[in-house]
């Protein structure tokens, strides 16, 4: 774990923690946090943007926030993770702000939480969405054309991208390779989350869907959007509004993350 994190941590993360440099004790706390996987939890919508609203007036933004906070509390109690929320109350956070957060910090994974809706009231179940190849290649090409834009990357990649002696083709190749790796991570984590979801919620498929969404298209962070059920389905909405079911959903995502990170990163290091 240390090896992995040494490669990936970045001092910019320090902006997460205001006044942290005040004394030696706090410096130790920063070190402790940097040894954890940083998970950005993004409860969808908020403030003037309610998201989907069903015929009973239940708003998507309220459920996403509750699940997000529950997930944060579970991750916080684990010594593997340091969770951060894009919002922890009913405030409006623009897509730009959500993306800027990823742009400026090292985040191990973005988990965006949403609730689905459909005109067809019988439609139900959870799904996971990850970015399309086309969108990501477009994002990479745009970045390569204008590398003055600051985006956090691990040091080795940062050095290569900023070095004028390397041509655009090499830089694009490196970022494409990194994206391929992120996509594998996204598909693998999806599998782990689906393993948990299938115990508690209907699934039409156990592979992720692909979409060109702004929140999923940061070129430096593996990301996924989880639709936790349909607010427009009678029996699912009845469950989604309860604390008990929100706990189950949060716990399923937490167990998926925990098992994935343990199996993928910790066992790899034990093998070497
Ligand atoms: Zn939504």
């Amino acid at each position: 774990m240390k090896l992995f994190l040494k490669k990936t941590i970045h001092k910019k993360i320090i902006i997460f923690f205001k006044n942290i440099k005040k004394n030696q004790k706090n410096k130790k706390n920063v070190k402790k946090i940097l040894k954890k996987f940083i998970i950005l939890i993004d409860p969808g919508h908020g403030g003037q943007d309610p998201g989907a609203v069903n015929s009973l007036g239940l708003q998507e933004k309220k459920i996403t926030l509750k699940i997000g906070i529950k997930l944060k509390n579970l991750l916080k109690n684990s010594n593997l993770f340091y969770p951060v929320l894009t919002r922890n109350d009913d405030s409006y956070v623009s897509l730009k702000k959500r993306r800027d957060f990823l742009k400026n910090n090292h985040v191990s994974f973005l988990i965006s939480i949403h609730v689905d809706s459909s005109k067809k009231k019988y439609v139900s179940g959870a799904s996971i969405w990850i970015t399309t190849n086309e969108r990501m290649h477009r994002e990479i090409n745009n970045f390569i054309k204008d590398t003055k834009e600051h985006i956090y990357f691990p040091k080795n990649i940062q050095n290569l991208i900023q070095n004028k002696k390397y041509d655009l083709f090499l830089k694009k190749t490196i970022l494409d390779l990194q994206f391929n790796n992120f996509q594998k991570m996204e598909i693998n984590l999806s599998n782990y989350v689906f393993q948990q979801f299938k115990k508690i919620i209907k699934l039409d498929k156990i592979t992720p869907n692909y979409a060109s969404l702004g929140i999923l298209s940061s070129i430096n962070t593996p990301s996924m959007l989880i639709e936790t059920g349909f607010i427009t389905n009678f029996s699912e909405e009845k469950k989604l509004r309860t604390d008990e079911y929100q706990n189950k959903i949060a716990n399923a995502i937490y167990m998926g993350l925990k098992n994935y990170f343990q199996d993928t990163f910790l066992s790899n290091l034990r093998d070497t």
Side-chain angles (χ1 to χ4, degrees), residues 44-45 51-52 60 113-115 227:
H45 312 283
E60 178 184 356
I113 296 169
H114 286 254
V115 185
E227 295 280 7

Side-chain angles (χ1 to χ4, degrees), residues 148-265:
K148 273 176 234 140
E149 185 190 20
H150 180 270
I151 293 185
Y152 164 79
F153 286 108
K155 215 174 169 189
N156 291 346
I157 297 182
Q158 196 77 55
N159 290 344
L160 190 139
I161 285 166
Q162 282 171 351
N163 197 323
K164 284 185 182 145
K165 78 177 182 195
Y166 299 123
D167 65 15
L168 291 184
F169 182 74
L170 178 65
K171 292 175 185 180
K172 186 174 154 21
T173 305
I174 295 295
L175 292 177
D176 281 346
L177 283 170
Q178 185 184 237
F179 165 57
N180 290 346
N181 188 43
F182 285 167
Q183 196 176 54
K184 273 186 208 145
M185 291 169 73
E186 291 161 0
I187 292 168
N188 286 342
L189 176 59
S190 300
N191 289 337
Y192 278 83
V193 175
F194 281 131
Q195 289 304 315
Q196 301 297 321
F197 270 178
K198 71 182 181 192
K199 298 175 192 167
I200 54 166
I201 191 164
K202 191 192 128 206
L203 299 170
D204 282 334
K205 55 188 280 204
I206 49 160
T207 51
N209 299 300
Y210 294 81
S212 174
L213 299 172
I215 192 68
L216 298 179
S217 55
S218 295
I219 62 174
N220 64 346
T221 314
S223 309
M224 71 170 51
L225 185 151
I226 303 179
E227 295 280 7
T228 54
F230 277 78
I231 202 170
T232 42
N233 179 272
F234 179 69
S235 67
E236 231 161 47
E237 92 93 37
K238 232 168 99 184
K239 288 195 266 179
L240 277 164
R241 59 168 74 231
T242 67
D243 227 30
E244 190 196 345
Y245 194 69
Q246 290 161 7
N247 279 332
K248 279 187 184 171
I249 294 279
N251 194 55
I253 301 171
Y254 164 67
M255 288 305 294
L257 278 163
K258 184 169 155 265
N259 293 341
Y260 166 75
F261 274 89
Q262 267 174 350
D263 291 354
T264 309
F265 298 107

Side-chain angles (χ1 to χ4, degrees), residues 72-182:
K72 185 193 172 185
N73 290 336
L74 288 165
L75 291 167
K76 204 171 70 180
N77 290 331
S78 148
N79 53 14
L80 268 184
F81 300 108
Y82 186 83
V84 182
L85 282 162
T86 52
R87 66 180 181 98
N88 55 15
D89 56 22
D90 184 26
S91 51
Y92 176 76
V93 183
S94 67
L95 174 62
K96 187 182 176 301
K97 270 199 181 153
R98 293 177 207 237
R99 286 192 57 160
D100 281 352
F101 197 88
L102 294 169
K103 214 188 252 183
N104 296 322
N105 298 290
H106 167 67
V107 172
S108 303
F109 231 108
L110 163 80
I111 306 289
S112 188
I113 296 169
H114 286 254
V115 185
D116 227 332
S117 66
S118 170
K119 280 182 184 159
K120 297 169 188 159
K121 295 208 165 132
Y122 59 87
V123 179
S124 66
S127 58
I128 294 179
W129 297 78
I130 60 176
T131 194
T132 60
N133 289 5
E134 294 76 18
R135 175 65 181 259
M136 198 48 73
H137 289 145
R138 200 166 72 230
E139 297 282 341
I140 289 171
N141 284 340
N142 289 343
F143 174 70
I144 288 292
K145 278 185 218 153
D146 176 22
T147 44
K148 273 176 234 140
E149 185 190 20
H150 180 270
I151 293 185
Y152 164 79
F153 286 108
K155 215 174 169 189
N156 291 346
I157 297 182
Q158 196 77 55
N159 290 344
L160 190 139
I161 285 166
Q162 282 171 351
N163 197 323
K164 284 185 182 145
K165 78 177 182 195
Y166 299 123
D167 65 15
L168 291 184
F169 182 74
L170 178 65
K171 292 175 185 180
K172 186 174 154 21
T173 305
I174 295 295
L175 292 177
D176 281 346
L177 283 170
Q178 185 184 237
F179 165 57
N180 290 346
N181 188 43
F182 285 167

